[in-house]
Amino acid sequence: MPLDQNRTEATQEDRNEVQVFHSACPHDCPSTCALEVERLDPQTIGRVRGASQNTYTSGVICAKVARYAERVHHPDRLTKPLRRIGAKGIGREAFEEISWDEALDVVAANLIRAAEAHGPETVWPYYYAGTMGLVQRDGINRLRNVMGYSRQHSTFCNTLADAGWMAGAGSKKGVDPREMAESDLIVIWGCNPVSTQVNVMTHAARARKNRGAKLVVVDPYVTETAKQADIHLMPHPGTDGALACAVMHVLFRDGHADRDYLEKYTAGYAELERHLVSRSPEWAEAITGIPAGEIEAFATLYGQTKRSYLRLGFGFTRSRNGAVQMFSASCLPAVTGAWQYPGGGALYSNAGIYEIDKTLIEGSDAVDSRTRVLDQSRIGPILTGDKRDLGDGPPITALFIQNTNPVNVAPDLGKVRAGFLRDDLFVCVHEQFLTETAQMADIVLPATTFLEHDDIYVAGGHTHLQVTRAVIAPVGEARSNHWVLGELAKRLGAMHPAFEMSAWDLMDATLKRSGYADAQTIWEGHWEDRVEAFDDAHFLNGFGHSDARFHFMPDWSQIGGNHAGMPTLPDHYDVIDAREDEHPFRLVTAPSRNYLNTSFTETATSRKREGRPEAQIHPEVCTQMGLEAGDEVRIGNQQGSVVVHVRPTAGLRRSTVIVESVWPNSAFVEGIGINLLVSAEAGQPNGGAVFHDTAVWLKQA
Ligand SMILES: Nc1nc2c(c(=O)[nH]1)N[C@H]1C(S)=C(S)[C@@H](COP(=O)(O)OP(=O)(O)OC[C@H]3O[C@@H](n4cnc5c(=O)[nH]c(N)nc54)[C@H](O)[C@@H]3O)O[C@H]1N2
Ligand SMILES: Nc1nc2c(c(=O)[nH]1)N[C@H]1C(S)=C(S)[C@@H](COP(=O)(O)OP(=O)(O)OC[C@H]3O[C@@H](n4cnc5c(=O)[nH]c(N)nc54)[C@H](O)[C@@H]3O)O[C@H]1N2
Ligand code: SF4
Ligand SMILES: [Mo]
């Protein structure tokens, strides 16, 4: 049993026998914090703290995970399998408890029946990153691949950002975030770490304290992160490409470009320099709304500071032009040569450094490349039969869902909801809580949390791989994703060695075949730091492309098929959902601080701190429209309209509206959430949801 082995490392805190266990935060957050979890007894956890020994986490975690006991031991945790006997979407009263055997038999029978009627592609195992553990998150792909079910292009989150970063740098890695402590200028671009990855602020604070480093934030509104900045640049959403070009215009114009570096490490800089001549700060002001003088001042500071660190987030990539936005910003350190210096360069994600062989976990040896691939963000159009997605293939008639809550988080919610309400659709949801997606299910299965199962975690935001074991016994009859997949495999006749293995053995085998130490060894040490040597992390041994250079003229066709019209150099790519007379505002649905996507929307303390869904609107716009704080406002576009309460906020441009997310639909005045307005159109060149790219109108409700 994992618990007995875990006990060997527990430190006896006091005579109450409170024991402290190592764990790692599984939530979909780049910080992947190393945790110390108090166990009060074999069923119960106490406080959760950040591991002080881990030099990235450095003892700091967000408030919502510090009070994780509230979530693990929540009275609304699902503890038994449920069968729906009432209407969809009305809540717990529509369900009755059943046994695990019965539940699994019903699920298997329905998947078999659907596949017999329409072929296996009619089944869509649908998942995302509710847990980031490799075994519990990605194991669903093994069932999919062995059974020939529809494949999934996972596009909720990092597809656009990845495309943009890979275009220039060619490798998904960057400078160790701990090196921020050695920077003189930290630029937090399109992310809000005070809310979304708190540890970035720890390391930025060190640089400010030790070196007097300046902090610049690029964000369309005054976030809690922007409040801490020395300079806050406030672009119209979706215009960062123009900002980046104007900064580079100044860098070349004023002699801040490092020509030796450009010659040695980059390709296309002569074309870039010519192209930038017309991209002046005045040109960018007209597009971004940022005064040319502010752009000049930032560009000069950036150009004069060798140790400049860009922390590039996801926020500015959640837009139709998101890949070009990320690519354009990522060009800056290649122009100044900041990559050469300690504390200099950039980080978007370090996901590329771990090199885990997931063949066993995902059953990638069983993939049939002819099986269709469906875009997860287009679940609304897909469930409502859009031929652009389905072609001549079968409709989706069965969904098996783990680790995601699409009825809240997916774009084009009207279609998502209509799809889930179809009578001919069988839905099984494996969840920790009766989310609004689970409420649409025919069968609901109770899931363990990370404190009740074993797993491996890598991190985009730092360089540690972590191995964890269950700290407490499963709550009620909750079972892990891995266990459920194994039980379904038996009933479906799915054959793969990993279905026969325990999660721990699968972790161990995966680590070994990836060239790591065994699971036990890493678990005993809590983590393995995969930090690269300076020259590798700073790309001084070359960038990721075959010519080892940073590309100012990317080949977008290498990244995705939908590349027509994309600019050949960094630029403002004008394909966003533009403001016009009918839709004079741009809506950004940025993450809220006390929720993590929709996780924690079930906990009372998070809900209390967040209050209710609100639209942040410029006070002058409120006055013009006769809106006061707390009034209801209707926000709409061609997809529909949503009613929320008004919060007048001076910290944004008049044409920007912010609705922090992701709330359950039921929290909104009319029972439908903000993603009703978000388009399911896929960003270029490789897809990606466009959560912050929506032109809207406002009306008094
Ligand atoms: N408006 C708006 N919409 C957005 C975004 C936005 O910024 N604005 N952000 C988008 C982004 S970036 C993302 S990543 C998506 C994320 O959206 P979701 O994928 O829905 O996000 P999570 O809340 O992280 O996780 C979903 C569920 O996983 C469950 N879960 C956690 N661990 C386990 C487990 O071990 N087993 C099982 N079976 N279930 C588990 C949790 O209980 C939770 O309900 O939302 C997107 N939607
Ligand atoms: N508390 C909390 N933490 C989270 C999450 C959460 O929901 N809540 N979600 C988790 C997940 S799944 C993810 S992917 C990460 C996301 O973490 P981030 O990268 O921080 O989040 P984003 O949605 O990408 O938005 C970040 C910021 O981008 C800004 N933004 C939007 N459009 C633009 C633009 O065009 N230009 C610029 N410069 N900025 C823009 C928004 O106003 C917002 O302040 O956070 C994770 N951590
Ligand atoms: S900051 Fe992110 S990784 Fe760290 S505890 Fe909070 S949600 Fe988890
Ligand atoms: Mo995400």
Side-chain angles (χ1 to χ4, degrees):
M1 259 307 280
L3 285 187
D4 293 331
Q5 292 177 46
N6 215 345
R7 197 167 292 140
T8 60
E9 66 112 32
T11 52
Q12 198 93 0
E13 272 223 326
D14 57 32
R15 292 214 176 87
N16 298 333
E17 299 203 17
V18 172
Q19 294 176 304
V20 179
F21 295 84
H22 165 67
S23 192
C25 179
H27 285 287
D28 190 358
C29 169
S31 280
T32 320
C33 291
L35 304 179
E36 288 166 5
V37 181
E38 285 183 0
R39 194 184 75 175
L40 307 182
D41 63 53
Q43 277 78 41
T44 318
I45 67 153
R47 280 174 302 178
V48 178
R49 284 182 292 263
S52 48
Q53 302 291 311
N54 183 288
T55 49
Y56 183 71
T57 303
S58 217
V60 179
I61 58 169
C62 65
K64 56 195 178 304
V65 171
R67 45 173 201 266
Y68 212 76
E70 188 187 2
R71 187 163 193 272
V72 182
H73 302 298
H74 196 292
D76 295 344
R77 268 292 295 277
L78 293 168
T79 55
K80 300 248 186 206
L82 303 174
R83 174 184 16 226
R84 193 168 49 77
I85 47 172
K88 290 184 179 179
I90 61 167
R92 180 67 179 82
E93 66 269 29
F95 292 91
E96 64 172 3
E97 290 178 4
I98 54 173
S99 71
W100 265 106
D101 271 335
E102 197 180 353
L104 292 162
D105 289 347
V106 173
V107 176
N110 275 282
L111 301 191
I112 290 167
R113 191 176 314 131
E116 279 173 0
H118 302 279
E121 287 180 331
T122 195
V123 179
W124 191 2
Y126 190 90
Y127 79 120
Y128 202 54
T131 173
M132 292 283 277
L134 303 184
V135 167
Q136 309 293 351
R137 182 188 66 193
D138 299 329
I140 191 172
N141 289 327
R142 189 167 70 252
L143 188 71
R144 174 201 320 281
N145 291 333
V146 172
M147 296 301 294
Y149 295 151
S150 277
R151 292 188 287 160
Q152 174 172 303
H153 184 27
S154 296
T155 54
F156 275 166
C157 186
N158 56 358
T159 313
L160 281 156
D162 278 8
W165 177 265
M166 293 301 283
S171 174
K172 198 171 163 187
K173 64 179 194 185
V175 172
D176 185 339
R178 291 167 292 192
E179 248 186 75
M180 264 188 258
E182 298 173 54
S183 305
D184 293 320
L185 171 61
I186 294 167
V187 185
I188 296 180
W189 197 320
C191 69
N192 179 16
V194 168
S195 291
T196 62
Q197 40 178 318
V198 64
N199 312 78
V200 170
M201 302 312 286
T202 308
H203 296 278
R206 289 188 179 152
R208 298 182 96 183
K209 186 156 170 267
N210 298 342
R211 306 180 62 88
K214 291 267 182 300
L215 179 66
V216 177
V217 170
V218 187
D219 202 294
Y221 77 116
V222 183
T223 60
E224 289 301 314
T225 308
K227 280 183 192 162
Q228 299 190 22
D230 298 291
I231 299 175
H232 174 204
L233 300 171
M234 202 157 70
H236 294 307
T239 66
D240 302 68
L243 172 62
C245 284
V247 170
M248 290 189 282
H249 169 101
V250 175
L251 295 175
F252 277 103
R253 185 195 70 195
D254 293 354
H256 299 306
D258 181 338
R259 290 182 186 274
D260 292 339
Y261 179 88
L262 285 164
E263 185 61 37
K264 189 167 172 201
Y265 289 104
T266 72
Y269 81 87
E271 289 87 344
L272 174 68
E273 187 171 4
R274 269 199 301 282
H275 161 78
L276 290 171
V277 171
S278 59
R279 268 60 182 170
S280 66
E282 291 72 25
W283 166 83
E285 174 176 335
I287 296 167
T288 62
I290 305 172
E294 289 183 27
I295 300 174
E296 290 270 358
F298 167 59
T300 303
L301 178 65
Y302 187 80
Q304 287 174 345
T305 314
K306 289 191 174 357
R307 295 178 172 216
S308 59
Y309 191 102
L310 294 190
R311 186 65 179 88
L312 301 168
F314 298 98
F316 75 127
T317 72
R318 305 203 190 291
S319 158
R320 288 168 181 75
N321 64 2
V324 177
Q325 299 241 100
M326 170 62 88
F327 163 62
S328 301
S330 76
C331 291
L332 265 61
V335 171
T336 61
W339 286 109
Q340 299 162 102
Y341 308 105
L347 177 64
Y348 148 58
S349 169
N350 266 326
I353 68 174
Y354 298 96
E355 296 181 339
I356 303 287
D357 175 350
K358 290 202 284 186
T359 308
L360 273 177
I361 294 175
E362 300 200 296
S364 22
D365 44 353
V367 176
D368 182 342
S369 59
R370 291 163 302 181
T371 308
R372 73 175 171 192
V373 181
L374 300 175
D375 181 340
Q376 116 181 110
S377 298
R378 292 189 50 78
I379 184 171
I382 289 168
L383 292 185
T384 50
D386 197 321
K387 287 286 170 207
R388 284 174 297 175
D389 301 282
L390 297 175
D392 297 329
I396 293 299
T397 62
L399 284 169
F400 171 69
I401 302 178
Q402 287 182 322
N403 317 329
T404 186
N405 184 10
V407 171
N408 287 166
V409 305
D412 205 349
L413 269 191
K415 285 194 181 144
V416 178
R417 189 180 258 186
F420 271 89
L421 285 171
R422 270 172 42 201
D423 286 334
D424 62 338
L425 177 71
F426 172 79
V427 180
C428 171
V429 175
H430 185 199
E431 249 299 346
Q432 296 162 346
F433 289 90
L434 196 64
T435 60
E436 289 181 349
T437 303
Q439 291 179 36
M440 293 289 198
D442 300 284
I443 297 287
V444 178
L445 306 175
T448 44
T449 68
F450 74 110
L451 296 168
E452 301 149 58
H453 58 235
D454 307 341
D455 219 331
I456 304 170
Y457 301 88
V458 296
H462 56 84
T463 56
H464 298 88
L465 174 138
Q466 301 180 72
V467 169
T468 71
R469 283 189 183 276
V471 172
I472 53 171
V475 168
E477 293 180 19
R479 293 292 176 266
S480 74
N481 292 359
H482 179 71
W483 184 87
V484 167
L485 292 166
E487 290 297 313
L488 283 178
K490 276 185 216 160
R491 290 167 171 81
L492 296 166
M495 306 292 280
H496 194 277
F499 289 124
E500 311 290 321
M501 299 166 87
S502 69
W504 185 262
D505 290 345
L506 181 50
M507 290 157 60
D508 192 52
T510 295
L511 288 166
K512 284 182 190 151
R513 65 189 289 152
S514 310
Y516 285 76
D518 60 286
Q520 180 71 22
T521 303
I522 300 178
W523 174 72
E524 282 169 6
H526 299 171
W527 50 74
E528 182 172 318
D529 190 352
R530 300 284 285 182
V531 65
E532 294 193 330
F534 184 94
D535 284 3
D536 290 326
H538 288 252
F539 294 116
L540 299 180
N541 292 323
F543 285 89
H545 299 292
S546 54
D547 63 1
R549 289 168 180 273
F550 185 92
H551 288 184
F552 290 121
M553 300 181 72
D555 181 357
W556 293 111
S557 72
Q558 292 292 310
I559 295 174
N562 181 18
H563 56 87
M566 293 184 75
T568 49
L569 285 154
D571 214 343
H572 174 56
Y573 184 29
D574 196 5
V575 289
I576 56 177
D577 190 16
R579 282 185 285 135
E580 29 76 26
D581 292 348
E582 299 271 289
H583 303 96
F585 299 93
R586 294 260 301 156
L587 171 69
V588 170
T589 63
S592 55
R593 185 168 184 177
N594 296 287
Y595 300 149
L596 199 134
N597 305 319
T598 55
S599 302
F600 299 91
T601 57
E602 63 281 327
T603 53
T605 50
S606 283
R607 283 195 87 120
K608 186 155 171 259
R609 285 168 200 221
E610 288 299 327
R612 61 187 177 187
E614 285 179 334
Q616 300 186 40
I617 302 174
H618 196 280
E620 286 176 17
V621 173
C622 292
T623 308
Q624 272 166 17
M625 296 187 59
L627 291 170
E628 290 185 16
D631 284 356
E632 291 180 0
V633 62
R634 186 174 290 280
I635 310 179
N637 64 5
Q638 53 291 335
Q639 290 187 188
S641 69
V642 173
V643 177
V644 293
H645 293 90
V646 174
R647 172 151 40 118
T649 311
L652 39 66
R653 299 205 183 277
R654 281 170 193 73
S655 58
T656 305
V657 174
I658 309 285
V659 177
E660 290 183 352
S661 300
V662 187
W663 289 87
N665 296 304
S666 58
F668 288 81
V669 176
E670 293 179 342
I672 182 88
I674 200 70
N675 285 11
L676 178 69
L677 310 181
V678 171
S679 169
E681 197 180 312
Q684 285 183 277
N686 188 34
V690 297
F691 292 110
H692 307 329
D693 185 5
T694 312
V696 294
W697 47 256
L698 303 180
K699 284 187 191 141
Q700 266 182 334

